[in-house]
Amino acid sequence: MSESAMHESAPAGSAPAEPAVSEPAVSEPAVTEPAVTEPAMPESAMSEPAVTESAMSESLAAPAESAAAPAESAAAPAESAAVPAGPLVAETGSPAVRARSLGARAAALDAADELAGRRELFALDDDSVYLDGNSLGALPRHVPERLQEVIGRQWGELRIRSWTESGWWEAPERIGDRIAPLVGAGPGRIVVGDSTSVNVFKAVVAAVRLAGPGRDEILVDATTFPTDGYMARSAARMTGGRIVPVAPAELPGALGPRTAVALVNHVDFRSGRLHDLPGITAAVHEAGALALWDLCHSAGALPVGLDEHGVDLAVGCTYKYLNGGPGAPAFLYVAERHQDRFDSPLPGWNSHADPFAMTGDFAAAEGAVRGRVGTPDILSMLALEAALDVWAGVTVEAVREKSLALTDFFLECVEAYAPPGRVASLTPAAHAERGSQVALRCAEAPLVMETLIARGIVGDLRRPDLLRFGFTPLYVGFADTERAARVLGEVLREVPAGPLA
């Protein structure tokens, strides 16, 4: 099965809505960001859990080193989100005793979870555990009804009038302003549209043009998801630049007077390693270059702080932690200080200062609108807008706290349930270096993931040997987490062991 050309697909051997995941590829610190204040959604009122960091055994706490996930430092986010302290049960008691102990803790954590009520907003069942939101987020229940209104009334009755009367024309900027608080950006800095790949191309070329003469080197995260590398190389051909692949940990040492821009992933898509956005951005600026960040695995999962940390440009997808739906439009962030000089390599009629003048000469619009190209995909865009309603009253900080607690608990449960030596975590144990997923190396990964999915535990696979589990705190709970680890342990006992390199 092959991976789609979009910025990541879904689990191996599963539903048609989520293309195969067996393809390999190369594409936060706590920062106070405002909550999104969209219309209130129903939510159960629950108190916040008291949390302290739990111990994890060495085999899972110390991630294996690999070229795909270089070790590096990151500014530390709050450490308060770990699982409540308790004895690690990996080596004591029978399997039944361990399961009862971890199951009881999961129930207590769910009862105290202030975000638990959000799960009701999603189209999920109790027969499966969905841990692939880092590839495709779950469907918010109200989106189909919203789309029916868009199709039936706005398109079916108002037709062309909806470009003005239903606000279709302003949708890319309006929805961008709703995403902005989730990534620490002010209004007027984000435009929604096109794919992540297209936005990477626009941003890299624009960055080289902003950098000016004499700066022809484009530093690219060597562990990146492949589309970023493909687009960067094309941008280099267009601008006469040179690609310099570099591991994020080594990036500060690779900067120089010829560096135009550094393109870096905030979270490594394979390992879940969180890179040091504030530190790397500061180093890039000290060298006189621009910092361009890919937020596909962090937007909606953890605080980003684009404005606070002085990021120049950023791109991200909306179908993962933002739950915008398959193929949902991506977003492009342009810092306010660069907007009047942002020179897109794809100037379309939607980014013209007067699009309906239909003149032969191009005059760029003001602001982030310069990032637009052609007519927006209204159905996908308005599905995304509706999906963002689930963020009403939720802060990114609360999501991050639960994310760390979930991944801590999962690692502990895996240590308790998995046969010794069968899996090893690539995901850093340190909170400051961890995104919202756990990646486990497993020699029998393809068969293990296929079996897990058949038993209702939906994660995904990165060949040859990575099991990935994404934790979306708006709809994943602690009982889900314990169940996933328990079933993983059962499957590992059934699947014959192979050599783990």
Side-chain angles (χ1 to χ4, degrees):
M1 296 171 66
S2 62
E3 185 165 356
S4 69
M6 68 179 64
H7 208 65
E8 276 197 79
S9 265
S14 118
E18 297 179 68
V21 300
S22 59
E23 191 72 12
V26 280
S27 168
E28 187 103 10
V31 177
T32 301
E33 298 180 7
V36 179
T37 56
E38 297 302 326
M41 301 293 293
E43 176 182 13
S44 60
M46 297 193 180
S47 60
E48 186 171 351
V51 287
T52 57
E53 185 164 9
S54 67
M56 287 182 287
S57 71
E58 186 172 340
S59 66
L60 284 175
E65 291 299 321
S66 76
E72 61 184 275
S73 62
E79 292 287 325
S80 62
V83 180
L88 190 64
V89 295
E91 299 178 2
T92 60
S94 69
V97 170
R98 292 199 299 270
R100 284 196 298 272
S101 173
L102 290 169
R105 287 181 57 204
L109 287 165
D110 280 332
D113 176 18
E114 64 173 337
L115 297 178
R118 297 280 154 167
R119 179 186 174 91
E120 300 172 4
L121 304 180
F122 293 87
L124 295 166
D125 57 62
D126 294 330
D127 295 332
S128 62
V129 176
Y130 189 67
L131 299 181
D132 206 9
N134 54 326
S135 285
L136 178 67
L139 170 69
R141 290 185 186 276
H142 68 286
V143 170
E145 182 179 355
R146 168 62 174 154
L147 278 182
Q148 186 56 51
E149 193 275 336
V150 170
I151 294 169
R153 181 175 181 275
Q154 295 183 13
W155 179 15
E157 298 176 13
L158 296 179
R159 294 177 287 276
I160 195 71
R161 293 162 53 194
S162 279
W163 284 105
T164 52
E165 295 180 29
S166 300
W168 287 1
W169 186 264
E170 300 83 10
E173 294 80 55
R174 182 178 70 245
I175 301 170
D177 283 347
R178 291 189 61 181
I179 292 172
L182 300 176
V183 292
R189 292 160 173 77
I190 291 180
V191 64
V192 172
D194 302 314
S195 65
T196 301
S197 299
V198 172
N199 284 327
V200 167
F201 179 74
K202 288 186 285 189
V204 172
V205 173
V208 173
R209 292 172 176 174
L210 283 166
R215 291 187 174 270
D216 60 352
E217 292 185 348
I218 302 170
L219 273 58
V220 177
D221 180 347
T223 64
T224 191
F225 190 84
T227 198
D228 288 17
Y230 305 156
M231 292 294 146
R233 285 194 285 275
S234 180
R237 292 194 296 272
M238 171 179 278
T239 60
R242 183 173 76 92
I243 295 293
V244 180
V246 58
E250 300 167 3
L251 192 145
L255 295 162
R258 293 180 58 183
T259 305
V261 59
L263 169 59
V264 191
N265 285 263
H266 195 193
V267 174
D268 184 276
F269 81 99
R270 279 200 184 97
S271 68
R273 178 178 290 275
L274 172 64
H275 294 140
D276 180 9
L277 182 146
I280 291 175
T281 299
V284 170
H285 288 169
E286 187 175 353
L290 284 83
L292 166 56
W293 287 88
D294 181 332
L295 308 179
C296 285
H297 283 269
S298 58
L302 52 89
V304 177
L306 292 176
D307 287 350
E308 178 181 357
H309 300 303
V311 170
D312 300 289
L313 301 162
V315 300
C317 67
T318 63
Y319 50 78
K320 292 183 172 65
Y321 297 106
L322 297 180
N323 309 297
F331 64 87
L332 170 66
Y333 165 89
V334 182
E336 189 174 32
R337 64 187 178 278
H338 295 311
Q339 290 180 358
D340 63 344
R341 295 190 303 119
F342 182 85
D343 184 6
S344 172
L346 299 174
W349 77 290
N350 269 222
S351 57
H352 196 286
D354 188 0
F356 292 96
M358 303 298 176
T359 60
D361 295 328
F362 180 79
E366 294 184 359
V369 178
R370 291 185 176 208
R372 290 178 64 164
V373 183
T375 306
D377 183 338
I378 289 298
L379 296 183
S380 288
M381 194 161 292
L382 297 188
L384 165 62
E385 183 173 34
L388 291 172
D389 289 347
V390 300
W391 285 90
V394 176
T395 66
V396 179
E397 289 73 25
V399 166
R400 175 61 168 166
E401 183 175 7
K402 183 178 175 182
S403 165
L404 290 171
L406 286 169
T407 50
D408 275 346
F409 190 53
F410 183 69
L411 286 168
E412 180 178 352
C413 290
V414 170
E415 179 68 18
Y417 290 130
R422 295 295 301 276
V423 294
S425 177
L426 276 184
T427 303
H431 287 180
E433 299 174 6
R434 188 195 307 168
S436 198
Q437 74 177 51
V438 171
L440 302 176
R441 292 189 64 222
C442 175
E444 309 79 29
L447 179 55
V448 168
M449 183 53 68
E450 180 182 353
T451 308
L452 282 172
I453 292 172
R455 297 188 186 181
I457 308 300
V458 183
D460 75 3
L461 170 73
R462 284 294 174 263
R463 288 201 313 244
D465 61 357
L466 274 188
L467 304 169
R468 294 194 321 167
F469 302 92
F471 293 83
T472 303
L474 293 182
Y475 55 76
V476 174
F478 292 91
D480 298 325
T481 301
E482 185 272 336
R483 175 183 167 189
R486 176 164 34 86
V487 175
L488 173 62
E490 294 169 0
V491 171
L492 290 171
R493 284 181 168 80
E494 297 170 13
V495 173
L500 184 59

